[in-house]
Amino acid sequence: TDRDSDGDMEGDSGKISPLGGEDEFKASCAKEMALLDLMEKTGYNMVQENGQRKYGGPPPGWEGPAPPRGCEVFVGKIPRDMYEDELVPLFERAGRIYEFRLMMEFSGENRGYAFVMYTNREAAQRAIQMLDNYEIRPGKFVGVCVSLDNCRLFIGSIPKDKRKDEIMEEMKKVTDGVVDVIVYPSSNDRSRNRGFAFVEYESHKAAAMARRKLIPGTFQLWGHSIQVDWAEPEKDVDEEVMQRVRVLYVRNLMLNTTEETLRQEFSRFKPGSVERVKKLTDYAFVHYRCRDDAVTALSLMNGAQIEGAVVEVTLAKPAGIKDASAAGRRYNSRGYLGNGAGVGAAGNGTFVLHRSDAGMMAGDACSPMRPMSLPPRLGNPFYTGAGDDPDRCMYPLFPGTPLSPTSLLSLKQSQICSAVSLLDFYCRKNYWSPPEYHLYSTPGPDGKLLLLYKVVIQSTRSTYIPDKLCVLLDDAKELAAQTSLWNL
């Protein structure tokens, strides 16, 4: 492989530069030889471009398209002087690698992170299980999590009278690679949109370039300043779990559609098949007595019209699907907590975006001083039923049960359900000082005292301030911790 000259050689004399030193030159040569040896053994090619070094993609003898979504993992906290000759054999333990991309500095050091794409999803999941928090060198632990090659942007503050074709035409004018626009009609007036859209691009690169161009505050569409962010997809659920689901998620309903109407429509093919219906604003959950009936209804009702609205129907994701890495950040409220439970999403119940830098945008824009509900605390508002998450259960404490002092670091991340605890865990794991919470207040429009916490992490000299005020002290602290986690 070719490497940029960094002053190790002096002119054409072939002498060792005093700036580099003979030991450094030998180490550089040894590393080059190790990489060449790896390529010779495996038959993979390696190229360096645009700040990254790509090994494979495709591997030798590969035919057909690249692996599907969900086959790539992100690897963080890699020692800066560690390269493919050590990393590739380690990650090959989980399965065959399609492509390994190591992010590189101009100096020749790596940037501390990489992306590993496997030939199948099973290998990617195995890599996360085997190598997340793996001690790659004494005292050095790498982090491994799923990498989503996102191709979709959230565009907020769109004029509500714009139709899908108008938005598509405008986005194609100002950005390249647009393949689709997703727009949801208003619950009150089907001829108007909800003030936001999702724009799908042909590649992650095209979406990233568009996001860079559509900088909020500097770019306007139809004379309006727009809001732009990644529309993060929902986390995939294990296929085996989904095979047991007998609840349908129904979206895009009219506000005046009743639960009884839905019961009739969704049991028309087989009277009595629907066990119960729960409707929340313009979406609902339809519970079936039998899994086969739910699957049949899914095929019959997706795209059907109910009282003038074309509905979208999918299988509802079971409770307990957690993604603590996102620190509670959710873009879809496909689920609920049961009868009488509040939903941690926007009023329209379709997509919700909690942002630390531009507020909350979902459907109608929120005034900075308008009351709002906090997102669920690092969990998801998915339905509860036969598949409830056993990790959320409580067990009786019997007399004589032995109890041992336990460190927070000995817990799994999935056992931590609040942002405050997760931030503490994150700081301890990185050997940082604990987060400091500084309380501030201001009078609200109705005379209530509104609260806000500022978070200071002395070890990183970082300060984080949420862009929302809360009435309750615990909510203010949770929101401050979430804001810190999003930015970390």
Side-chain angles (χ1 to χ4, degrees):
T1 58
D2 294 324
R3 291 184 62 180
D4 296 310
S5 172
D6 56 3
D8 285 350
M9 300 297 292
E10 185 177 29
D12 296 325
S13 65
K15 296 179 181 178
I16 303 299
S17 165
L19 293 175
E22 187 174 355
D23 290 343
E24 186 177 332
F25 178 71
K26 286 181 177 178
S28 174
C29 289
K31 188 58 65 179
E32 296 285 354
M33 293 303 296
L35 293 176
L36 289 170
D37 187 50
L38 173 68
M39 292 163 61
E40 189 175 335
K41 283 180 181 177
T42 63
Y44 280 65
N45 290 323
M46 189 182 295
V47 293
Q48 184 162 335
E49 56 183 14
N50 299 327
Q52 64 178 351
R53 195 156 60 197
K54 189 166 69 172
Y55 168 88
W62 180 270
E63 294 182 4
R69 190 185 187 90
C71 295
E72 188 174 75
V73 298
F74 170 82
V75 185
K77 295 190 287 185
I78 299 172
R80 295 300 185 98
D81 59 348
M82 182 174 279
Y83 301 96
E84 292 87 348
D85 57 304
E86 294 180 80
L87 293 166
V88 166
L90 174 64
F91 281 87
E92 276 182 334
R93 295 180 193 174
R96 189 183 183 201
I97 292 174
Y98 176 84
E99 179 181 86
F100 189 104
R101 293 185 293 125
L102 183 63
M103 303 300 115
M104 301 295 293
E105 299 280 14
F106 182 77
S107 65
E109 286 189 328
N110 77 63
R111 294 168 64 186
Y113 66 99
F115 296 89
V116 187
M117 182 181 289
Y118 288 92
T119 55
N120 56 67
R121 289 175 177 169
E122 291 74 24
Q125 288 300 315
R126 201 157 44 241
I128 295 170
Q129 293 166 4
M130 290 172 55
L131 299 172
D132 185 33
N133 208 31
Y134 178 84
E135 190 170 14
I136 201 162
R137 282 187 181 166
K140 302 289 184 181
F141 300 84
V142 292
V144 183
C145 62
V146 68
S147 167
L148 295 174
D149 192 16
N150 204 343
C151 301
R152 182 177 292 183
L153 294 181
F154 171 93
I155 311 293
S157 301
I158 288 177
K160 295 187 178 181
D161 60 347
K162 298 300 178 184
R163 302 186 309 273
K164 173 177 176 173
D165 58 339
E166 293 177 289
I167 298 171
M168 171 84 87
E169 182 182 357
E170 194 69 17
M171 294 306 298
K172 282 186 173 180
K173 283 181 185 176
V174 297
T175 60
D176 296 325
V178 176
V179 295
D180 193 20
V181 170
I182 301 164
V183 181
Y184 290 95
S186 168
S187 306
N188 301 311
D189 183 353
R190 313 305 284 190
S191 66
R192 295 169 66 82
N193 70 63
R194 291 183 178 166
F196 65 92
F198 293 87
V199 183
E200 189 83 21
Y201 288 86
E202 63 186 12
S203 67
H204 175 73
K205 183 178 180 180
M209 294 298 289
R211 181 172 177 264
R212 187 180 300 177
K213 185 175 182 181
L214 303 173
I215 300 171
T218 64
F219 197 91
Q220 294 188 337
L221 289 178
W222 302 288
H224 292 256
S225 292
I226 58 169
Q227 303 290 347
V228 183
D229 208 324
W230 290 108
E232 297 179 12
E234 299 174 274
K235 190 174 181 182
D236 289 335
V237 181
D238 188 88
E239 189 61 33
E240 187 178 337
V241 174
M242 293 304 292
Q243 290 294 330
R244 299 194 294 270
V245 172
R246 52 186 177 85
V247 182
L248 297 183
Y249 168 66
V250 186
R251 182 165 60 193
N252 212 28
L253 294 166
M254 298 293 287
L255 284 178
N256 57 3
T257 298
T258 65
E259 291 181 353
E260 185 54 38
T261 298
L262 292 174
R263 181 187 293 275
Q264 292 173 8
E265 292 290 338
F266 278 82
S267 62
R268 195 180 298 279
F269 73 98
K270 185 179 178 181
S273 57
V274 173
E275 184 177 52
R276 64 189 175 97
V277 177
K278 179 63 181 177
K279 181 172 185 280
L280 303 102
T281 62
D282 64 344
Y283 65 104
F285 295 87
V286 181
H287 295 245
Y288 283 86
R289 304 182 193 280
C290 158
R291 156 81 182 183
D292 290 343
D293 290 341
V295 174
T296 302
L298 173 62
S299 62
L300 292 173
M301 297 303 295
N302 187 32
Q305 277 204 18
I306 298 178
E307 297 185 336
V310 177
V311 299
E312 295 179 24
V313 184
T314 56
L315 287 170
K317 291 187 177 182
I321 305 304
K322 296 183 283 293
D323 185 7
S325 65
R329 196 171 172 184
R330 284 286 166 258
Y331 293 79
N332 194 308
S333 61
R334 187 174 136 189
Y336 80 101
L337 293 167
N339 292 328
V343 177
N348 56 58
T350 305
F351 285 85
V352 61
L353 174 63
H354 301 290
R355 297 183 55 199
S356 57
D357 59 339
M360 178 180 176
M361 299 172 295
D364 297 331
C366 294
S367 161
M369 298 300 284
R370 178 177 165 187
M372 57 171 281
S373 59
L374 284 171
R377 302 200 177 182
L378 300 186
N380 297 307
F382 293 113
Y383 76 89
T384 58
D388 285 355
D389 182 11
D391 291 342
R392 300 306 296 260
C393 295
M394 290 183 285
Y395 299 88
L397 177 64
F398 296 108
T401 301
L403 297 173
S404 306
T406 300
S407 164
L408 182 67
L409 290 177
S410 66
L411 303 181
K412 292 181 179 178
Q413 198 164 297
S414 61
Q415 291 179 276
I416 304 173
C417 295
S418 81
V420 172
S421 298
L422 187 60
L423 181 59
D424 190 27
F425 172 87
Y426 193 85
C427 289
R428 288 171 185 255
K429 191 174 180 180
N430 287 283
Y431 303 103
W432 295 342
S433 57
E436 300 172 11
Y437 292 86
H438 301 272
L439 183 62
Y440 296 86
S441 67
T442 188
D446 55 359
K448 287 183 179 177
L449 193 65
L450 301 180
L451 306 174
L452 175 144
Y453 270 108
K454 178 176 76 174
V455 178
V456 178
I457 301 176
Q458 296 288 357
S459 299
T460 61
R461 298 181 181 178
S462 302
T463 299
Y464 304 104
I465 302 176
D467 61 354
K468 295 290 180 293
L469 297 157
C470 299
V471 175
L472 300 179
L473 188 67
D474 287 348
D475 286 347
K477 194 168 188 179
E478 184 76 0
L479 186 60
Q482 285 185 357
T483 301
S484 305
L485 286 163
W486 291 337
N487 285 283
L488 285 170

